[in-house]
Amino acid sequence: ADIEAARGYADVEVIVRDEALVAAWANLPGWAALKDYVQDDVQVRQMLNALHCLRRAEARDRLQWLVHVDSDELFDPGARSIHDHFRYLEASRFDWFCYHNFEAVPEVAYQTEVDPFLTVSLFKRAACLVPDAAKAVSETWRARNFGIDPFLFYAN
């Protein structure tokens, strides 16, 4: 249902994981080193998907920006429209731009019929944006838990 909804947008191209996509991955640099992990490692698939999309974008002269957003992420340009945001980047002569990732913290049990963007209000900030007071709390937690980071995955 989500794939069909996405296909309803004029400027959205949906690429599903099928034999054609796997065949395209096989033509990418790095495939030989990654192919054994593609079934079990989501980050390997993300890397291959991003590179695949970059290659497709390079073949289209009219495409100026490519944004890689996971299905559990939301791109929010803030007070600007998305068009104004990318016009600003273009006018600033950026070739690429890296956004901080705010990880959603689930607040209810996963349910397929519930939109997570309507049920989540808590987000883990990128480590470089955490206020000093909160960093102190995190360090206390880490010291009590054998040096294990309270946020186990992303540090961006």
Side-chain angles (χ1 to χ4, degrees), residues 19-89:
E19 290 179 15
L21 179 60
V22 175
W25 285 346
N27 291 317
L28 295 173
W31 171 251
L34 298 173
K35 67 181 179 181
D36 293 337
Y37 307 99
V38 79
Q39 292 299 324
D40 300 318
D41 192 331
V42 68
Q43 289 181 328
V44 166
R45 293 190 299 275
Q46 288 174 329
M47 287 188 293
L48 291 168
N49 286 336
L51 185 54
H52 172 69
C53 289
L54 180 60
R55 290 291 166 94
R56 290 172 56 96
E58 289 171 339
R60 299 177 184 187
D61 291 334
R62 64 181 179 85
L63 189 64
Q64 292 178 300
W65 290 97
L66 175 67
V67 179
H68 181 265
V69 180
D70 293 344
S71 62
D72 64 344
E73 295 174 343
L74 176 68
F75 182 81
D76 180 6
R80 296 180 174 162
S81 74
I82 193 168
H83 299 288
D84 289 343
H85 174 74
F86 287 112
R87 279 189 211 110
Y88 168 78
L89 292 179

